[in-house]
Amino acid sequence: MLGNFTYHNPTRIHFGKKALDFLPEELSAYGPRVLLTYGGGSIKRTGLYDRVLDLLRAADKEVFEDPGVMPNPTVEKLYKGAALAREHDVDLILAVGGGSVVDYAKGVAASAWCTEDPWQKYYVRQENPDCCLIPVGTILTMSGTGSEMNGGSVITNHATKQKIGKVFGPENFPKFTLLDPVLTYTVPRYQMVAGIFDVMSHLMEQYFSGTDDNTSDYLAEALMRQLVHASRIAVHQPEDYEARSNIMWTATWALNTLTKMGKGQDWQVHMIGQSIGAYTDATHGMTLSAVSPAYYRFVALYGLPKFVRFARTVWDIPSDGLSDEAAAEAGIAALESWMREIGVVMHITELGVTPDMLEGIAAGAPSIPTAYHPLSKDDIIEILRRSM
Ligand code: NZQ
Ligand code: ZN
Protein backbone atom coordinates (compact mmCIF):
# COMPACT_ATOMS: atom_id res chain seq x y z
CA MET A 1 0.00 0.00 0.00
CA LEU A 2 1.34 3.41 -0.85
CA GLY A 3 1.52 5.80 2.09
CA ASN A 4 1.88 9.56 1.92
CA PHE A 5 4.69 11.13 -0.03
CA THR A 6 5.79 14.16 -1.98
CA TYR A 7 7.49 13.50 -5.29
CA HIS A 8 9.58 16.29 -6.76
CA ASN A 9 12.44 15.80 -9.17
CA PRO A 10 13.58 19.13 -10.64
CA THR A 11 16.43 17.92 -12.90
CA ARG A 12 15.89 18.74 -16.58
CA ILE A 13 17.26 16.00 -18.85
CA HIS A 14 18.34 16.39 -22.47
CA PHE A 15 18.82 12.89 -23.87
CA GLY A 16 20.30 11.55 -27.10
CA LYS A 17 23.00 12.19 -29.68
CA LYS A 18 22.11 15.88 -29.81
CA ALA A 19 22.12 16.39 -26.02
CA LEU A 20 25.18 18.67 -26.06
CA ASP A 21 23.38 21.06 -28.41
CA PHE A 22 21.33 22.13 -25.39
CA LEU A 23 24.34 23.33 -23.40
CA PRO A 24 24.26 26.97 -24.68
CA GLU A 25 20.57 27.29 -23.81
CA GLU A 26 21.17 25.89 -20.33
CA LEU A 27 24.25 28.06 -19.74
CA SER A 28 22.31 31.20 -20.58
CA ALA A 29 20.37 30.87 -17.31
CA TYR A 30 23.48 31.44 -15.16
CA GLY A 31 26.07 34.14 -14.54
CA PRO A 32 29.42 34.30 -16.33
CA ARG A 33 31.68 32.39 -13.91
CA VAL A 34 31.74 28.64 -14.42
CA LEU A 35 33.72 26.01 -12.51
CA LEU A 36 34.47 23.20 -14.96
CA THR A 37 34.87 20.03 -12.89
CA TYR A 38 36.18 16.76 -14.31
CA GLY A 39 38.08 13.59 -13.52
CA GLY A 40 41.45 12.09 -14.31
CA GLY A 41 41.65 12.90 -18.00
CA SER A 42 39.23 10.70 -19.95
CA ILE A 43 37.37 13.77 -21.22
CA LYS A 44 40.60 15.12 -22.71
CA ARG A 45 41.39 11.82 -24.44
CA THR A 46 37.91 11.58 -25.96
CA GLY A 47 37.80 15.18 -27.20
CA LEU A 48 34.80 16.06 -25.02
CA TYR A 49 36.85 18.61 -23.07
CA ASP A 50 37.53 20.62 -26.26
CA ARG A 51 33.89 20.50 -27.33
CA VAL A 52 32.67 21.71 -23.94
CA LEU A 53 35.30 24.43 -23.68
CA ASP A 54 34.36 25.73 -27.14
CA LEU A 55 30.71 25.92 -26.09
CA LEU A 56 31.60 27.68 -22.82
CA ARG A 57 33.73 30.24 -24.66
CA ALA A 58 31.04 30.80 -27.30
CA ALA A 59 28.68 31.53 -24.41
CA ASP A 60 31.13 34.16 -23.08
CA LYS A 61 31.79 32.29 -19.86
CA GLU A 62 34.83 32.82 -17.68
CA VAL A 63 36.01 29.28 -17.01
CA PHE A 64 37.85 28.09 -13.90
CA GLU A 65 38.99 24.48 -13.95
CA ASP A 66 38.83 21.88 -11.20
CA PRO A 67 40.35 18.72 -12.71
CA GLY A 68 41.50 15.48 -11.07
CA VAL A 69 38.35 14.31 -9.33
CA MET A 70 39.28 10.73 -8.49
CA PRO A 71 36.94 7.70 -8.54
CA ASN A 72 35.51 7.64 -4.99
CA PRO A 73 36.21 11.36 -4.39
CA THR A 74 37.99 12.17 -1.14
CA VAL A 75 37.26 14.63 1.62
CA GLU A 76 40.58 16.43 0.96
CA LYS A 77 39.55 17.02 -2.65
CA LEU A 78 36.16 18.27 -1.45
CA TYR A 79 37.80 20.88 0.80
CA LYS A 80 40.02 22.08 -2.07
CA GLY A 81 37.12 22.26 -4.52
CA ALA A 82 34.99 24.20 -2.06
CA ALA A 83 37.81 26.73 -1.54
CA LEU A 84 38.23 27.11 -5.32
CA ALA A 85 34.51 27.66 -5.91
CA ARG A 86 34.42 30.25 -3.12
CA GLU A 87 37.61 32.01 -4.24
CA HIS A 88 36.23 32.53 -7.76
CA ASP A 89 32.65 33.10 -6.58
CA VAL A 90 31.35 30.86 -9.37
CA ASP A 91 27.79 31.03 -10.68
CA LEU A 92 27.61 27.43 -11.91
CA ILE A 93 29.50 24.17 -11.45
CA LEU A 94 29.59 22.19 -14.68
CA ALA A 95 30.46 18.57 -13.87
CA VAL A 96 31.69 16.53 -16.83
CA GLY A 97 32.31 12.86 -16.05
CA GLY A 98 30.95 9.85 -14.19
CA GLY A 99 29.18 9.55 -10.86
CA SER A 100 32.28 10.52 -8.91
CA VAL A 101 32.56 13.89 -10.65
CA VAL A 102 28.84 14.58 -10.31
CA ASP A 103 28.74 13.51 -6.63
CA TYR A 104 31.74 15.68 -5.92
CA ALA A 105 30.20 18.68 -7.69
CA LYS A 106 27.12 18.45 -5.45
CA GLY A 107 29.38 18.26 -2.41
CA VAL A 108 31.31 21.35 -3.53
CA ALA A 109 28.05 23.17 -4.32
CA ALA A 110 26.91 22.73 -0.72
CA SER A 111 30.34 23.25 0.87
CA ALA A 112 31.67 26.41 -0.81
CA TRP A 113 29.65 28.76 1.39
CA CYS A 114 29.20 26.44 4.37
CA THR A 115 30.48 28.02 7.59
CA GLU A 116 31.11 24.64 9.27
CA ASP A 117 33.23 21.63 8.32
CA PRO A 118 31.16 20.15 5.47
CA TRP A 119 32.44 16.59 6.05
CA GLN A 120 31.22 16.68 9.65
CA LYS A 121 28.01 18.56 8.90
CA TYR A 122 26.69 16.78 5.80
CA TYR A 123 28.33 13.38 5.76
CA VAL A 124 28.95 12.49 9.44
CA ARG A 125 26.01 14.30 11.06
CA GLN A 126 23.75 14.05 7.96
CA GLU A 127 22.49 17.64 8.38
CA ASN A 128 21.05 19.67 5.55
CA PRO A 129 22.64 22.79 4.07
CA ASP A 130 21.66 26.15 5.50
CA CYS A 131 23.92 28.20 3.22
CA CYS A 132 23.61 29.31 -0.37
CA LEU A 133 24.01 26.42 -2.84
CA ILE A 134 25.84 26.82 -6.13
CA PRO A 135 23.82 25.43 -9.05
CA VAL A 136 25.20 22.27 -10.68
CA GLY A 137 24.82 21.16 -14.30
CA THR A 138 26.16 17.85 -15.56
CA ILE A 139 27.35 16.13 -18.71
CA LEU A 140 27.43 12.44 -17.85
CA THR A 141 30.05 10.18 -19.43
CA MET A 142 29.27 6.85 -17.76
CA SER A 143 26.07 5.10 -16.68
CA GLY A 144 25.52 3.65 -13.25
CA THR A 145 25.06 5.80 -10.19
CA GLY A 146 21.97 7.83 -11.09
CA SER A 147 23.79 10.85 -9.66
CA GLU A 148 22.73 12.82 -12.75
CA MET A 149 19.16 13.06 -11.47
CA ASN A 150 19.37 12.68 -7.70
CA GLY A 151 20.78 14.35 -4.60
CA GLY A 152 23.36 11.68 -3.76
CA SER A 153 26.93 12.65 -2.99
CA VAL A 154 29.31 9.99 -1.69
CA ILE A 155 32.66 11.07 -0.20
CA THR A 156 35.50 8.93 1.11
CA ASN A 157 37.66 9.72 4.13
CA HIS A 158 40.67 7.40 3.95
CA ALA A 159 42.10 8.62 7.25
CA THR A 160 39.02 7.51 9.21
CA LYS A 161 38.18 4.61 6.83
CA GLN A 162 34.70 5.94 6.12
CA LYS A 163 32.84 6.20 2.84
CA ILE A 164 29.57 8.03 3.47
CA GLY A 165 26.75 9.14 1.20
CA LYS A 166 24.72 12.28 1.83
CA VAL A 167 21.40 12.48 0.03
CA PHE A 168 20.75 16.18 -0.51
CA GLY A 169 17.25 17.48 -1.22
CA PRO A 170 15.92 18.59 -4.63
CA GLU A 171 17.52 22.04 -4.19
CA ASN A 172 20.91 20.36 -4.73
CA PHE A 173 19.90 17.99 -7.55
CA PRO A 174 21.59 18.89 -10.86
CA LYS A 175 19.61 21.69 -12.49
CA PHE A 176 20.19 20.09 -15.88
CA THR A 177 21.86 16.96 -17.20
CA LEU A 178 22.96 16.17 -20.74
CA LEU A 179 22.82 12.42 -21.47
CA ASP A 180 24.44 11.42 -24.74
CA PRO A 181 24.85 7.61 -24.78
CA VAL A 182 27.62 7.87 -27.38
CA LEU A 183 29.84 9.47 -24.71
CA THR A 184 29.73 6.18 -22.78
CA TYR A 185 31.24 4.10 -25.62
CA THR A 186 34.79 4.80 -24.40
CA VAL A 187 34.16 3.64 -20.81
CA PRO A 188 36.56 0.72 -20.10
CA ARG A 189 34.77 -2.64 -19.97
CA TYR A 190 35.50 -3.13 -16.25
CA GLN A 191 33.85 0.21 -15.44
CA MET A 192 30.96 -0.43 -17.82
CA VAL A 193 29.96 -3.71 -16.17
CA ALA A 194 30.54 -2.27 -12.69
CA GLY A 195 28.11 0.52 -13.63
CA ILE A 196 25.59 -2.00 -14.95
CA PHE A 197 25.71 -3.97 -11.72
CA ASP A 198 25.38 -0.74 -9.72
CA VAL A 199 22.09 -0.10 -11.55
CA MET A 200 20.86 -3.64 -10.79
CA SER A 201 21.82 -3.18 -7.17
CA HIS A 202 19.97 0.13 -6.86
CA LEU A 203 16.83 -1.56 -8.13
CA MET A 204 17.22 -4.58 -5.84
CA GLU A 205 17.92 -2.40 -2.79
CA GLN A 206 14.56 -0.70 -3.28
CA TYR A 207 12.67 -3.81 -4.43
CA PHE A 208 13.62 -6.18 -1.59
CA SER A 209 11.57 -4.61 1.17
CA GLY A 210 7.93 -4.68 2.18
CA THR A 211 5.21 -7.25 1.55
CA ASP A 212 2.57 -4.93 0.06
CA ASP A 213 1.35 -4.54 -3.52
CA ASN A 214 3.28 -1.51 -4.68
CA THR A 215 3.62 0.26 -8.03
CA SER A 216 7.31 0.83 -7.33
CA ASP A 217 8.00 -2.94 -7.43
CA TYR A 218 6.38 -3.34 -10.86
CA LEU A 219 8.47 -0.44 -12.17
CA ALA A 220 11.63 -1.98 -10.71
CA GLU A 221 10.90 -5.35 -12.33
CA ALA A 222 10.51 -3.75 -15.75
CA LEU A 223 13.76 -1.82 -15.34
CA MET A 224 15.62 -4.94 -14.17
CA ARG A 225 14.41 -6.94 -17.18
CA GLN A 226 15.47 -4.15 -19.51
CA LEU A 227 18.91 -3.90 -17.91
CA VAL A 228 19.58 -7.64 -18.15
CA HIS A 229 18.54 -7.64 -21.81
CA ALA A 230 20.57 -4.57 -22.82
CA SER A 231 23.64 -5.57 -20.80
CA ARG A 232 23.87 -8.88 -22.68
CA ILE A 233 24.10 -6.93 -25.93
CA ALA A 234 26.43 -4.20 -24.61
CA VAL A 235 29.11 -6.58 -23.33
CA HIS A 236 29.50 -8.00 -26.85
CA GLN A 237 28.85 -4.79 -28.79
CA PRO A 238 29.82 -1.79 -26.64
CA GLU A 239 28.92 0.57 -29.49
CA ASP A 240 25.37 -0.71 -29.90
CA TYR A 241 23.49 2.57 -29.53
CA GLU A 242 20.19 0.92 -28.70
CA ALA A 243 21.69 -1.07 -25.82
CA ARG A 244 23.86 1.76 -24.45
CA SER A 245 21.03 4.28 -24.64
CA ASN A 246 18.64 1.96 -22.84
CA ILE A 247 21.22 1.26 -20.14
CA MET A 248 21.79 4.98 -19.68
CA TRP A 249 18.10 5.78 -19.29
CA THR A 250 17.47 2.73 -17.06
CA ALA A 251 20.38 3.81 -14.84
CA THR A 252 18.84 7.25 -14.41
CA TRP A 253 15.41 5.88 -13.50
CA ALA A 254 16.85 3.23 -11.19
CA LEU A 255 17.92 5.92 -8.74
CA ASN A 256 16.09 9.14 -9.45
CA THR A 257 13.82 8.54 -6.43
CA LEU A 258 10.89 7.13 -8.44
CA THR A 259 11.17 3.45 -7.53
CA LYS A 260 11.57 4.13 -3.81
CA MET A 261 8.19 5.81 -3.47
CA GLY A 262 6.08 3.99 -0.88
CA LYS A 263 8.95 1.63 -0.03
CA GLY A 264 10.86 1.00 3.21
CA GLN A 265 13.93 0.00 1.13
CA ASP A 266 17.00 -2.03 2.03
CA TRP A 267 20.46 -0.55 1.06
CA GLN A 268 22.34 -3.11 3.19
CA VAL A 269 24.47 -4.19 0.22
CA HIS A 270 25.46 -0.56 -0.37
CA MET A 271 26.37 -0.10 3.30
CA ILE A 272 28.66 -3.14 3.16
CA GLY A 273 30.01 -2.14 -0.28
CA GLN A 274 30.80 1.40 0.83
CA SER A 275 32.67 0.11 3.86
CA ILE A 276 34.68 -2.19 1.59
CA GLY A 277 35.39 0.88 -0.56
CA ALA A 278 36.65 2.80 2.47
CA TYR A 279 39.20 0.03 3.12
CA THR A 280 40.21 -0.76 -0.46
CA ASP A 281 39.20 2.18 -2.71
CA ALA A 282 37.74 -0.48 -5.02
CA THR A 283 35.32 0.34 -7.86
CA HIS A 284 31.86 0.93 -6.36
CA GLY A 285 29.84 -1.49 -8.51
CA MET A 286 32.32 -4.31 -7.85
CA THR A 287 32.08 -3.84 -4.09
CA LEU A 288 28.36 -4.54 -4.49
CA SER A 289 28.63 -7.50 -6.86
CA ALA A 290 31.16 -9.29 -4.67
CA VAL A 291 28.80 -9.43 -1.66
CA SER A 292 25.36 -9.60 -3.29
CA PRO A 293 24.91 -13.38 -3.80
CA ALA A 294 25.98 -14.15 -0.22
CA TYR A 295 23.79 -11.35 1.17
CA TYR A 296 20.66 -12.34 -0.74
CA ARG A 297 21.09 -16.01 0.19
CA PHE A 298 21.43 -14.92 3.82
CA VAL A 299 18.16 -12.94 3.88
CA ALA A 300 15.98 -14.73 1.31
CA LEU A 301 14.07 -16.86 3.83
CA TYR A 302 12.92 -13.71 5.65
CA GLY A 303 11.42 -12.18 2.50
CA LEU A 304 10.50 -15.36 0.68
CA PRO A 305 7.42 -14.21 -1.33
CA LYS A 306 9.40 -11.33 -2.88
CA PHE A 307 12.30 -13.60 -3.78
CA VAL A 308 9.89 -16.07 -5.43
CA ARG A 309 8.36 -13.18 -7.34
CA PHE A 310 11.85 -11.95 -8.34
CA ALA A 311 12.64 -15.40 -9.79
CA ARG A 312 9.38 -15.57 -11.71
CA THR A 313 9.08 -11.98 -12.93
CA VAL A 314 12.67 -10.91 -13.56
CA TRP A 315 14.23 -14.26 -14.53
CA ASP A 316 11.20 -16.11 -16.03
CA ILE A 317 11.60 -19.07 -13.68
CA PRO A 318 8.29 -20.96 -13.42
CA SER A 319 7.46 -21.59 -9.77
CA ASP A 320 5.17 -24.60 -10.48
CA GLY A 321 6.49 -27.71 -8.84
CA LEU A 322 9.18 -25.83 -6.90
CA SER A 323 9.03 -25.12 -3.20
CA ASP A 324 9.22 -21.42 -2.34
CA GLU A 325 12.74 -21.95 -1.00
CA ALA A 326 13.84 -23.63 -4.22
CA ALA A 327 12.24 -20.93 -6.38
CA ALA A 328 13.95 -18.18 -4.38
CA GLU A 329 17.30 -19.95 -4.72
CA ALA A 330 16.74 -20.36 -8.48
CA GLY A 331 16.22 -16.59 -8.79
CA ILE A 332 19.43 -15.83 -6.91
CA ALA A 333 21.29 -18.43 -9.00
CA ALA A 334 19.98 -16.77 -12.18
CA LEU A 335 21.19 -13.40 -10.91
CA GLU A 336 24.59 -14.94 -10.17
CA SER A 337 24.81 -16.56 -13.57
CA TRP A 338 24.04 -13.23 -15.29
CA MET A 339 26.72 -11.56 -13.15
CA ARG A 340 29.30 -14.12 -14.32
CA GLU A 341 28.12 -13.68 -17.91
CA ILE A 342 28.73 -9.91 -17.91
CA GLY A 343 31.97 -10.33 -15.93
CA VAL A 344 31.61 -8.57 -12.59
CA VAL A 345 33.80 -9.33 -9.57
CA MET A 346 32.42 -12.23 -7.52
CA HIS A 347 34.84 -12.32 -4.55
CA ILE A 348 35.95 -9.57 -2.19
CA THR A 349 39.49 -10.97 -2.15
CA GLU A 350 39.76 -9.78 -5.78
CA LEU A 351 39.20 -6.24 -4.46
CA GLY A 352 42.04 -6.48 -1.96
CA VAL A 353 40.01 -7.44 1.10
CA THR A 354 42.04 -9.51 3.57
CA PRO A 355 40.75 -11.44 6.61
CA ASP A 356 42.10 -8.85 9.08
CA MET A 357 39.83 -6.20 7.51
CA LEU A 358 36.51 -8.03 8.06
CA GLU A 359 35.91 -6.77 11.58
CA GLY A 360 36.49 -3.13 10.57
CA ILE A 361 34.44 -3.39 7.38
CA ALA A 362 31.52 -4.84 9.35
CA ALA A 363 31.83 -2.12 12.01
CA GLY A 364 31.68 0.54 9.27
CA ALA A 365 28.50 -0.87 7.66
CA PRO A 366 25.35 0.25 9.50
CA SER A 367 22.52 -2.28 9.85
CA ILE A 368 19.34 -1.33 7.97
CA PRO A 369 16.17 -1.69 10.07
CA THR A 370 13.81 -1.81 7.05
CA ALA A 371 15.64 -4.75 5.42
CA TYR A 372 13.94 -8.16 5.44
CA HIS A 373 16.41 -9.26 8.10
CA PRO A 374 18.32 -6.50 9.90
CA LEU A 375 21.88 -7.74 10.34
CA SER A 376 24.07 -7.90 13.41
CA LYS A 377 27.78 -7.17 13.09
CA ASP A 378 28.45 -10.92 13.27
CA ASP A 379 25.97 -11.50 10.43
CA ILE A 380 27.88 -9.00 8.28
CA ILE A 381 31.18 -10.70 9.09
CA GLU A 382 29.64 -14.04 8.10
CA ILE A 383 28.40 -12.59 4.77
CA LEU A 384 31.87 -11.14 4.13
CA ARG A 385 33.43 -14.54 4.88
CA ARG A 386 31.09 -16.21 2.41
CA SER A 387 32.08 -13.55 -0.18
CA MET A 388 35.85 -14.14 0.12
O1 NZQ B 1 38.34 10.15 -14.07
P1 NZQ B 1 38.21 9.89 -15.52
O2 NZQ B 1 39.47 10.05 -16.26
O3 NZQ B 1 37.08 10.65 -16.13
O4 NZQ B 1 37.89 8.29 -15.69
C1 NZQ B 1 36.75 7.66 -15.15
C2 NZQ B 1 37.09 6.82 -13.92
O5 NZQ B 1 38.40 6.36 -13.96
C3 NZQ B 1 36.27 6.63 -16.12
N1 NZQ B 1 35.34 7.16 -17.12
C4 NZQ B 1 34.14 7.74 -16.91
N2 NZQ B 1 33.56 8.04 -18.08
C5 NZQ B 1 34.42 7.65 -19.06
C6 NZQ B 1 35.55 7.08 -18.44
N3 NZQ B 1 36.59 6.58 -19.15
C7 NZQ B 1 36.50 6.65 -20.49
N4 NZQ B 1 35.42 7.16 -21.16
C8 NZQ B 1 34.37 7.66 -20.47
N5 NZQ B 1 33.30 8.13 -21.14
O6 NZQ B 1 35.58 5.66 -15.35
C9 NZQ B 1 36.18 5.61 -14.06
C10 NZQ B 1 35.10 5.53 -13.02
O7 NZQ B 1 34.36 6.73 -12.98
P2 NZQ B 1 33.46 7.05 -11.71
O8 NZQ B 1 32.84 8.38 -11.93
O9 NZQ B 1 34.24 6.85 -10.45
O10 NZQ B 1 32.35 5.90 -11.76
P3 NZQ B 1 30.85 5.86 -11.30
O11 NZQ B 1 29.99 6.59 -12.24
O12 NZQ B 1 30.54 4.45 -11.04
O13 NZQ B 1 30.83 6.67 -9.90
C11 NZQ B 1 31.21 6.05 -8.70
C12 NZQ B 1 30.98 6.96 -7.49
O14 NZQ B 1 29.59 7.26 -7.33
C13 NZQ B 1 29.17 6.91 -6.00
C14 NZQ B 1 30.09 5.75 -5.68
O15 NZQ B 1 30.13 5.47 -4.30
C15 NZQ B 1 31.42 6.25 -6.21
O16 NZQ B 1 32.04 7.13 -5.31
N6 NZQ B 1 27.72 6.64 -5.97
C16 NZQ B 1 26.86 7.67 -6.08
C17 NZQ B 1 25.49 7.53 -5.96
C18 NZQ B 1 24.54 8.62 -6.06
N7 NZQ B 1 24.95 9.84 -6.36
O17 NZQ B 1 23.34 8.44 -5.86
C19 NZQ B 1 24.89 6.22 -5.65
C20 NZQ B 1 25.79 5.08 -5.95
O18 NZQ B 1 25.31 3.97 -5.22
C21 NZQ B 1 27.23 5.32 -5.62
O19 NZQ B 1 27.47 5.11 -4.24
ZN1 ZN C 1 25.38 2.23 -6.10
Side-chain angles (χ1 to χ4, degrees):
M1 187 181 70
L2 291 168
N4 305 310
F5 60 78
T6 300
Y7 182 71
H8 176 212
N9 192 318
T11 305
R12 187 163 42 250
I13 301 281
H14 300 285
F15 190 93
K17 291 181 181 173
K18 293 186 190 309
L20 252 68
D21 294 355
F22 289 89
L23 187 58
E25 181 187 320
E26 290 292 354
L27 290 174
S28 69
Y30 304 94
R33 303 160 79 81
V34 176
L35 188 66
L36 176 61
T37 300
Y38 54 96
S42 73
I43 69 162
K44 290 200 169 163
R45 290 193 296 278
T46 60
L48 179 60
Y49 172 85
D50 292 330
R51 283 170 75 191
V52 171
L53 214 57
D54 284 350
L55 289 167
L56 284 164
R57 289 200 180 115
D60 281 333
K61 299 295 179 185
E62 190 178 357
V63 179
F64 306 93
E65 296 201 21
D66 185 8
V69 181
M70 61 292 285
N72 310 320
T74 63
V75 65
E76 291 82 9
K77 180 72 182 163
L78 175 70
Y79 291 144
K80 282 190 193 148
L84 197 66
R86 190 171 56 246
E87 179 192 342
H88 297 297
D89 192 7
V90 297
D91 302 302
L92 174 73
I93 301 173
L94 183 60
V96 186
S100 292
V101 174
V102 177
D103 275 22
Y104 165 82
K106 285 180 239 173
V108 169
S111 302
W113 300 107
C114 178
T115 52
E116 299 163 66
D117 176 348
W119 165 255
Q120 289 295 333
K121 181 178 174 67
Y122 301 136
Y123 299 89
V124 176
R125 298 201 302 273
Q126 293 286 307
E127 291 172 13
N128 292 324
D130 39 27
C131 62
C132 152
L133 298 171
I134 302 171
V136 173
T138 89
I139 303 174
L140 195 73
T141 62
M142 102 159 241
S143 309
T145 63
S147 190
E148 65 274 16
M149 201 180 184
N150 71 30
S153 170
V154 184
I155 297 293
T156 299
N157 186 331
H158 289 295
T160 60
K161 296 222 180 318
Q162 287 171 296
K163 182 176 182 183
I164 308 180
K166 166 68 185 168
V167 181
F168 290 105
E171 63 285 351
N172 200 21
F173 282 32
K175 303 290 178 224
F176 64 88
T177 281
L178 312 184
L179 291 176
D180 177 353
V182 175
L183 297 178
T184 69
Y185 287 177
T186 52
V187 174
R189 187 190 173 93
Y190 186 88
Q191 295 295 338
M192 177 182 79
V193 297
I196 288 169
F197 191 79
D198 192 20
V199 179
M200 190 67 176
S201 182
H202 295 159
L203 292 165
M204 293 191 294
E205 298 272 32
Q206 295 163 95
Y207 181 74
F208 286 118
S209 67
T211 53
D212 53 336
D213 191 43
N214 190 310
T215 302
S216 291
D217 289 335
Y218 295 86
L219 290 169
E221 285 163 348
L223 292 167
M224 287 192 263
R225 287 182 68 93
Q226 195 296 310
L227 184 73
V228 170
H229 173 75
S231 65
R232 285 181 165 141
I233 298 167
V235 289
H236 295 294
Q237 294 151 41
E239 301 204 0
D240 185 300
Y241 183 82
E242 190 169 57
R244 293 311 283 273
S245 60
N246 280 319
I247 290 169
M248 193 169 217
W249 196 220
T250 296
T252 301
W253 283 89
L255 198 53
N256 72 354
T257 72
L258 181 77
T259 67
K260 75 167 187 173
M261 289 300 143
K263 298 281 305 176
Q265 307 177 71
D266 184 345
W267 297 106
Q268 188 65 67
V269 168
H270 269 67
M271 293 304 99
I272 300 172
Q274 284 179 198
S275 196
I276 292 172
Y279 276 74
T280 61
D281 207 25
T283 296
H284 171 67
M286 300 308 193
T287 66
L288 310 174
S289 61
V291 298
S292 287
Y295 172 71
Y296 288 117
R297 288 199 167 98
F298 199 90
V299 301
L301 290 183
Y302 302 92
L304 208 48
K306 186 61 75 62
F307 280 88
V308 173
R309 176 174 161 176
F310 176 68
R312 188 182 64 238
T313 314
V314 179
W315 302 102
D316 294 325
I317 295 167
S319 29
D320 320 347
L322 287 180
S323 67
D324 284 355
E325 289 80 359
E329 168 53 32
I332 298 170
L335 168 72
E336 202 172 26
S337 150
W338 168 72
M339 290 165 67
R340 290 187 200 283
E341 191 184 327
I342 63 169
V344 292
V345 169
M346 304 298 290
H347 303 283
I348 55 176
T349 42
E350 292 171 60
L351 305 172
V353 175
T354 49
D356 57 300
M357 292 179 188
L358 300 191
E359 186 84 23
I361 291 172
S367 175
I368 304 288
T370 46
Y372 281 132
H373 179 55
L375 301 181
S376 67
K377 189 175 157 205
D378 285 347
D379 292 337
I380 298 178
I381 292 174
E382 180 56 27
I383 288 163
L384 290 168
R385 279 212 189 93
R386 292 182 192 178
S387 306
M388 294 289 276

